[in-house]
């Protein structure tokens, strides 16, 4: 996992594309959320606090980049990106609660239960999850009903007990235990990988079978690379850069790629996963450009 501080033209172009998509999804999310003056005001205020104005929006970017490869319609991609970011924000709000990871800081500000209270944080997560499915099931969204039902199914499976929530359960049960690398991988494929894969697949939902299989293979590997990099950053980055508490995994006796492999091998693994993700896109030309660049962004991110 090498990093140079040189920014070449294609990287600069990618950053412009990413910023434009990040700004765009912020507007889409803002419009999808209830106003904070609509009752119940505190719940709506807390939903807006937790979803808006923060985060790298990696999952939304994956949706948009995959949609470019598969020419998925803009309103469908917006709804998919919006739904995935809502599920992600709900997971962070619940993850930060005292009954889970117990973290006071998220995206550089007090986590939802610290800013409001535990009951509100619980409801924010519940309501964001429902809103995600509300947005994606909008009857006028898609002319192809089969595509829309399949998208809803992808998101439901990725979020539930066979996906993110299941991975979180394994994570909580593994605190203080030693896991093999395979067990760790299974946990992360569910906890973080499932939603990252869903983001890419939803973006690619108008694609051919060949395009969707390639996107799936790409997302499987880049999702795991994302987690390996997360474990490396937990050790190497500081709290103000991360916007969440650094060193948390080590302090809570959680098995990580760094504890199992050591820093150097963890970096090598991230590089290998990146290479495999890129190889999955070999059949495609410029249409897969942003998927390739996003993989580089995930590998080299500093927060
Ligand atoms: C509560 C059902 C439930 C699940 C929680 C995803 C998750 C499962 C917990 C998050 C814990 C965590 C810090 C995992 C490491 C990887 C990860 C998901 C980091 C946060 O995602 P980023 O870096 O966050 O994309 P931003 O803030 O940029 O959106």
């Amino acid at each position: 996992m090498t990093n140079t501080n040189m920014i070449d033209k294609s990287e600069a172009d990618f950053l412009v594309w990413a910023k434009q998509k990040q700004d765009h999804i912020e507007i889409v999310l803002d419009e999808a959320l209830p106003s904070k003056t609509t009752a119940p005001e505190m719940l709506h205020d807390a939903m807006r606090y937790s979803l808006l104005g923060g985060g790298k929006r990696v999952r939304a970017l994956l949706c948009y980049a995959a949609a470019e490869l598969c020419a998925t319609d803009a309103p469908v991609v917006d709804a998919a990106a919006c739904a995935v970011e809502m599920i992600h924000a709900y997971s962070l709000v619940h993850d930060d609660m005292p009954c889970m990871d117990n973290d006071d800081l998220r995206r550089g500000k007090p986590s939802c239960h610290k800013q409001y209270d535990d009951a509100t944080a619980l409801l924010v997560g519940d309501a964001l999850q429902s809103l995600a499915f509300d947005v994606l099931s909008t009857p006028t969204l898609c002319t192809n009903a089969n595509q829309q039902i399949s998208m809803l199914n992808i998101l439901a499976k990725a979020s539930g007990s066979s996906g993110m929530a299941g991975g979180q359960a394994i994570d909580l049960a593994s605190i203080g235990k030693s896991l093999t690398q395979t067990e760790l991988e299974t946990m992360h494929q569910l906890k973080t990988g499932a939603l990252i894969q869903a983001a890419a697949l939803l973006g690619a939902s108008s694609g051919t079978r060949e395009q969707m299989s390639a996107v799936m293979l790409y997302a499987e590997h880049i999702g795991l690379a994302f987690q390996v990099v997360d474990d490396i950053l937990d050790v190497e980055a500081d709290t103000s850069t991360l916007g969440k508490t650094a060193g948390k995994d080590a302090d809570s006796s959680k098995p990580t790629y760094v504890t199992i492999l050591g820093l150097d091998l963890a970096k090598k693994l991230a590089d290998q996963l990146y290479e495999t993700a890129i190889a999955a896109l070999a059949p495609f030309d410029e249409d897969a450009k942003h998927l390739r660049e996003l993989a580089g962004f995930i590998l080299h991110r500093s927060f």
Side-chain angles (χ1 to χ4, degrees):
M1 192 185 154
T2 47
N3 201 352
T4 66
N5 288 324
M6 302 271 292
I7 295 193
D8 62 20
K9 178 159 182 332
S10 73
E11 193 177 346
D13 287 349
F14 169 74
L15 292 174
V16 169
W17 174 84
K19 174 78 173 65
Q20 189 257 320
K21 295 297 180 199
Q22 285 160 338
D23 291 348
H24 176 70
I25 191 64
E26 196 68 18
I27 295 168
V28 175
L29 291 170
D30 181 68
E31 287 172 354
L33 280 164
S35 147
K36 62 183 176 188
T37 55
T38 301
E41 288 87 349
M42 185 162 81
L43 177 59
H44 290 152
D45 188 47
M47 286 166 74
R48 300 182 73 83
Y49 176 86
S50 304
L51 184 61
L52 297 178
K56 298 175 286 298
R57 306 295 187 206
V58 163
R59 293 153 193 81
L61 293 177
L62 271 167
C63 238
Y64 287 116
E68 286 178 5
L69 175 65
C70 301
T72 304
D73 286 347
V76 175
V77 193
D78 279 345
C82 184
V84 169
E85 286 292 334
M86 284 174 177
I87 297 283
H88 172 55
Y90 124 66
S91 81
L92 298 180
V93 169
H94 280 189
D95 185 64
D96 288 337
M97 292 184 70
C99 59
M100 296 224 183
D101 218 24
N102 193 19
D103 211 318
D104 293 354
L105 191 65
R106 174 63 64 184
R107 294 175 167 171
K109 54 187 193 182
S111 38
C112 183
H113 70 279
K114 292 304 274 185
Q115 183 72 13
Y116 299 88
D117 52 51
D118 285 7
T120 303
L122 201 59
L123 291 171
V124 163
D126 295 341
L128 284 177
Q129 176 161 214
S130 296
L131 189 55
F133 286 100
D134 183 349
V135 166
L136 202 55
S137 62
T138 302
T140 51
L141 180 66
C142 211
T143 48
N144 181 341
N146 285 340
Q147 180 188 348
Q148 192 169 3
I149 288 171
S150 143
M151 290 172 82
L152 286 160
N153 191 248
I154 288 170
L155 190 62
K157 286 216 162 63
S159 324
S161 61
S162 315
M164 185 180 75
Q168 180 77 345
I170 300 173
D171 187 7
L172 291 172
S174 70
I175 295 172
K177 293 196 182 139
S178 60
L179 294 185
T180 63
Q181 190 179 335
T182 309
E183 288 168 333
L184 188 68
E185 185 174 317
T186 303
M187 176 187 70
H188 288 314
Q189 283 293 10
L190 299 178
K191 190 178 112 173
T192 17
L195 194 61
I196 286 181
Q197 285 162 36
L201 269 187
L202 292 177
S205 59
S206 316
T208 62
R209 205 176 281 264
E210 189 208 3
Q211 286 170 328
M212 288 187 77
S213 314
V215 167
M216 186 67 196
L217 194 60
Y218 160 89
E220 246 173 57
H221 290 86
I222 214 57
L224 204 52
F226 180 92
Q227 184 60 54
V228 178
V229 172
D230 212 71
D231 288 354
I232 295 167
L233 289 175
D234 188 64
V235 176
E236 289 198 326
D238 57 42
T239 297
S240 68
T241 309
L242 288 179
K244 62 181 181 182
T245 314
K248 193 79 202 300
D249 293 339
D251 290 350
S252 34
S253 313
K254 277 195 178 175
T256 72
Y257 281 99
V258 176
T259 56
I260 289 183
L261 298 174
L263 255 182
D264 287 348
L265 280 181
K267 288 180 184 180
K268 280 202 179 99
L269 176 62
D271 285 338
Q272 283 163 6
L273 290 164
Y274 164 83
E275 294 298 343
T276 312
I278 294 296
L281 302 175
F284 310 112
D285 54 14
E286 280 289 284
D287 293 341
K289 172 174 140 65
H290 288 133
L291 278 175
R292 290 189 189 93
E293 291 170 349
L294 190 51
F297 173 78
I298 287 172
L299 188 73
H300 295 304
R301 71 198 172 95
S302 55
F303 65 100

